[in-house]
Amino acid sequence: MKISILKNVLNESIQHVSKAISSRTTIPILGGIKLDVTYQGVTLTASDTDISIQSFIPAEDADRTIVQVERIGSVVLPAKFFVEIIKKLPSQEIQMEVKEQFQTFISSGSTEIQMVGLDPEEFPVLPDIEGNQTISLPGSLLKNMIRQTVFAISTQETTPILTGVLWNLDHNDLKFTATDRHRLATRSAHLEGADDVKFSNVVIAGKTLNELSKIIPDQNTLIDIVVADNQVLFKLDRVLFYSRILDGIYPDTTRIIPTTYKTELILDTKKLSESIDRAYLLSREEKTNIVRLQTMENGGIEISSSSSELGKVREELDVIDFKGEPLRISFNSKYMLDVLKIVESEQLMIAFTGMMSPIILKPLDDSQSSYVILPYRTTN
């Protein structure tokens, strides 16, 4: 293998695929990035068995030569060094040549590097995914759906299925659900052209979706998603992102979401967020994060928290609308702030069915999102 390639294009591809490299792998070959060179261009691949990312660099693009191929071939290069050194090379053009025993020589300007490569035959083969279960959605929508649900996943590996986001598609409606048993987030979207596609219990690890979100381009391009028995493939322009589907059955969360409420409040999202953030500062010191909310006779609400060492904070907040019974409830302010940070609506409905029943949060101008937080039982 012998090529000359533009540094910025190679570096961009490396940054994409390196997101699939695990620092904890016990299999040496998985600590590397595989390069496959043909006369059409260069394909980079990285994998940690849970996710695999492949990026293609064409030899030419829009009348610009990106790769000059003198000799085709393949090699696996250690990612830790390869990722860093390419960024730091001095010239905008890089020459690479692989010789016997996969010894790889990289030169740029006056810099010359020799790297010990690995046999590409030992690199795992990417899964072969059939395309009959394919949907398409805009990149910005997918990023939003991930952002508005992934924060609610569990971080406890004791229940692996809850470390992922549940995907269900039925009648053209795609729904994401995430829960850690203390809170729940759902986000739905109506898709066009998915009439023949239906799937359920597709659970993708939250950390995988976070990595995917980082490489979704800012421009609103369509992303094709292919769902198979145990894998999902995301097609983004010249990048292929494979993810394993988590094993197990996701719990039925529909039963914990009330549909009728005893108390409904409509509040200014920003003012509520700022108020709870101030109360959180004290509750954080107690390592409980507990903040109290209670309705007042004048129609407003009171937000309060206390610390045995620091004191108390209390403030009143105007309510845009109030229906139902008076209420006093305690909750984890960190969980509440996580929701308020991702709500884009200026106004928010908070609904309750009682003191120890789930707290429902719904952005007023977004009927596709809803959030649930379980309250705390307190002694005072």
Side-chain angles (χ1 to χ4, degrees):
M1 163 188 151
K2 189 175 182 182
I3 61 168
S4 175
I5 186 168
L6 294 180
K7 170 188 163 181
N8 62 331
V9 182
L10 176 60
N11 184 53
E12 185 181 5
S13 273
I14 289 172
Q15 297 306 316
H16 286 331
V17 302
S18 65
K19 290 175 172 56
I21 300 286
S22 171
S23 58
R24 296 175 296 184
T25 182
T26 56
I27 307 167
I29 199 79
L30 293 183
I33 294 174
K34 183 185 178 190
L35 285 80
D36 290 300
V37 174
T38 67
Y39 289 111
Q40 283 71 48
V42 181
T43 301
L44 283 74
T45 310
S47 177
D48 71 352
T49 67
D50 284 336
I51 65 172
S52 302
I53 306 175
Q54 192 169 77
S55 177
F56 177 66
I57 303 171
E60 293 185 357
D61 182 36
D63 300 324
R64 178 177 66 144
T65 299
I66 299 171
V67 188
Q68 292 176 305
V69 180
E70 196 170 318
R71 193 167 65 245
I72 64 172
S74 301
V75 69
V76 177
L77 297 176
K80 193 172 182 181
F81 182 64
F82 187 52
V83 169
E84 291 301 318
I85 197 64
I86 294 300
K87 279 193 291 192
K88 295 176 180 178
L89 290 175
S91 173
Q92 276 307 306
E93 197 164 296
I94 298 170
Q95 288 74 42
M96 298 180 65
E97 183 175 6
V98 179
K99 296 186 177 179
E100 291 181 3
Q101 303 299 313
F102 303 106
Q103 291 292 317
T104 303
F105 297 84
I106 301 172
S107 61
S108 172
S110 58
T111 303
E112 292 185 355
I113 297 148
Q114 182 178 344
M115 294 180 70
V116 178
L118 299 170
D119 186 350
E121 292 296 320
E122 296 178 13
F123 201 83
V125 178
L126 292 183
D128 184 18
I129 296 183
E130 295 297 325
N132 58 335
Q133 290 275 81
T134 302
I135 59 173
S136 298
L137 66 158
S140 60
L141 174 60
L142 179 57
K143 280 179 98 160
N144 265 338
M145 291 184 74
I146 292 170
R147 184 176 63 89
Q148 291 169 351
T149 52
V150 77
F151 69 89
I153 64 165
S154 172
T155 55
Q156 303 299 316
E157 294 293 339
T158 49
T159 316
I161 198 75
L162 294 185
T163 64
V165 176
L166 171 68
W167 294 38
N168 285 326
L169 176 64
D170 191 20
H171 294 98
N172 282 31
D173 287 321
L174 178 65
K175 184 178 182 182
F176 285 13
T177 303
T179 184
D180 62 2
R181 291 204 175 98
H182 302 289
R183 54 182 170 174
L184 179 141
T186 65
R187 172 69 158 88
S188 301
H190 186 76
L191 306 184
E192 299 297 334
D195 305 32
D196 301 327
V197 184
K198 180 179 180 180
F199 54 76
S200 60
N201 203 58
V202 171
V203 185
I204 304 173
K207 63 180 181 180
T208 297
L209 292 173
N210 278 327
E211 294 301 340
L212 171 67
S213 193
K214 290 174 189 173
I215 64 174
I216 294 174
D218 289 333
Q219 61 268 34
N220 208 13
T221 51
L222 275 180
I223 294 173
D224 291 333
I225 303 170
V226 187
V227 180
D229 289 341
N230 60 355
Q231 291 276 341
V232 178
L233 168 60
F234 301 88
K235 297 180 177 180
L236 309 84
D237 195 15
R238 295 194 177 103
V239 176
L240 300 179
F241 189 111
Y242 297 80
S243 170
R244 184 175 67 85
I245 294 173
L246 295 182
D247 297 326
I249 303 298
Y250 203 87
D252 180 9
T253 58
T254 56
R255 291 173 297 176
I256 69 168
I257 305 174
T259 52
T260 57
Y261 317 117
K262 291 182 178 177
T263 307
E264 289 181 43
L265 304 171
I266 294 177
L267 296 147
D268 182 292
T269 307
K270 186 170 183 287
K271 288 179 180 176
L272 177 65
S273 179
E274 290 171 349
S275 176
I276 292 176
D277 200 17
R278 287 187 283 269
Y280 165 66
L281 290 176
L282 251 68
S283 65
R284 184 180 63 186
E285 294 301 315
E286 288 290 284
K287 297 184 169 51
T288 61
N289 295 335
I290 292 177
V291 165
R292 295 171 183 82
L293 180 154
Q294 72 177 74
T295 53
M296 301 175 66
E297 289 183 6
N298 65 6
I301 60 168
E302 178 186 285
I303 304 284
S304 63
S305 70
S306 60
S307 161
S308 54
E309 292 184 7
L310 295 178
K312 296 180 180 180
V313 61
R314 172 192 170 278
E315 63 181 278
E316 294 182 17
L317 210 58
D318 290 332
V319 171
I320 296 166
D321 193 26
F322 171 41
K323 295 177 189 171
E325 302 174 3
L327 185 87
R328 176 183 173 90
I329 201 161
S330 300
F331 54 86
N332 185 317
S333 54
K334 173 74 167 59
Y335 290 170
M336 183 73 80
L337 287 170
D338 283 346
V339 173
L340 295 172
K341 281 176 194 169
I342 54 95
V343 168
E344 294 173 353
S345 171
E346 289 184 4
Q347 294 180 357
L348 180 76
M349 183 189 85
I350 303 184
F352 311 88
T353 54
M355 279 187 64
M356 290 311 298
S357 298
I359 304 166
I360 312 299
L361 297 97
K362 290 188 175 183
L364 272 202
D365 63 2
D366 177 11
S367 61
Q368 304 281 15
S369 305
S370 65
Y371 306 94
V372 178
I373 298 171
L374 296 184
Y376 275 131
R377 187 181 298 278
T378 57
T379 53
N380 55 341

